[in-house]
Amino acid sequence: MNDNRTSGGVPEGGQFAAAAHAESPVKLFDRNDGSFFKPSPSSTAEHCLNFWSNIVIPDEIISQAESVYHETRTAEVEAGFKQRVDDWKTNWVVENPKPRFKLEAWEEKFQAELAPFKNQVREDLTNERPMWLGTYDSRQLVRAAQMLFHAPHAHRFPDENIKVRDHEIELFTETLTVEEIQAKYKLYQIHHALEKVFEDTTEKEMLQVMKNLGESMNIVSEEVIDARRDSMI
């Protein structure tokens, strides 16, 4: 007996009832309900590129990215500078053993060769990659960084992932692919600055300082009043 047969005596008696179909599951990829902070995952390069080319990027994110990029880049240069200078000093002493006599001449030679080396190292390091995000490029660079970070999964959709990496982005003085922008700016290093707007605690800290100061003044005032009262007894 087929359970899908409707009972006789009803309008559709004896006919097979329509089989119940489960509703289609909510689509995961390529949805159009995403936002900058909650993007929809992409299975196609077209969806990814269109989404990140047109989504509104908060001004706070642009300012934050510019600031964090410069801080990160400066720290990178300083770390590289220290490492190269330390290595140079070690090698120099090996090649120029410290003498028992005429130390002043040895020190003078050391400083004379160290100074130009330092200047060259700092110049080389700062020229490796931009120290700042360009004034007109910041928004484009953030879009490129998000395209790469949210590109279709490299293993599930390899061809689509490559299309995103090869996509060209127009900048103020040049046109680079998404992949080339990553190589030049290494924005993966600061992607945390693109995920949310950091809370500005400056105002809260100032209010707390004022509150603490007010409480301290009240305590001092009470102590003065108590001291006067004691002196009158």
Side-chain angles (χ1 to χ4, degrees), residues 72-127:
T72 303
R73 184 73 183 96
T74 299
E76 180 183 58
V77 168
E78 292 306 317
F81 177 80
K82 182 180 184 306
Q83 184 63 56
R84 293 190 190 185
V85 170
D86 287 347
D87 290 344
W88 182 90
K89 289 179 179 179
T90 300
N91 293 332
W92 192 91
V93 172
V94 171
E95 296 174 359
N96 302 270
K98 189 174 183 179
R100 296 177 59 186
F101 307 102
K102 297 182 179 181
L103 289 178
E104 185 174 343
W106 183 82
E107 286 284 356
E108 289 179 355
K109 179 182 179 183
F110 174 79
Q111 295 298 335
E113 295 182 13
L114 176 60
F117 177 79
K118 282 184 173 181
N119 292 336
Q120 187 61 55
V121 167
R122 188 168 294 280
E123 180 179 349
D124 291 344
L125 288 170
T126 55
N127 288 338

Side-chain angles (χ1 to χ4, degrees), residues 2-6 12 15-21:
N2 192 306
D3 291 336
N4 273 352
R5 184 182 296 276
T6 58
E12 293 85 11
Q15 298 178 10
F16 285 98
H21 295 286

Side-chain angles (χ1 to χ4, degrees), residues 128-197:
E128 283 181 357
R129 296 194 295 109
M131 295 298 296
W132 301 85
L133 299 185
T135 302
Y136 298 104
D137 291 339
S138 297
R139 201 169 297 273
Q140 292 289 77
L141 294 172
V142 169
R143 292 189 187 281
Q146 294 296 71
M147 287 175 183
L148 182 59
F149 191 84
H150 296 283
H153 196 279
H155 295 300
R156 294 192 62 185
F157 314 107
D159 293 340
E160 299 301 313
N161 182 277
I162 292 173
K163 289 178 183 178
V164 171
R165 292 174 176 273
D166 290 342
H167 180 69
E168 293 186 338
I169 302 289
E170 183 181 11
L171 302 176
F172 188 62
T173 60
E174 59 185 342
T175 297
L176 299 175
T177 66
V178 169
E179 185 84 57
E180 290 170 338
I181 287 174
Q182 169 57 24
K184 183 172 183 176
Y185 292 92
K186 300 187 185 303
L187 295 176
Y188 255 47
Q189 294 180 359
I190 66 161
H191 198 267
H192 63 282
L194 309 184
E195 295 175 343
K196 64 179 181 178
V197 177

Side-chain angles (χ1 to χ4, degrees), residues 26-28 30-36 38-41 47 51:
V26 176
K27 184 171 66 170
L28 173 65
D30 302 336
R31 299 194 319 272
N32 295 318
D33 60 348
S35 65
F36 182 87
K38 297 289 185 180
S40 300
H47 177 268
F51 182 89

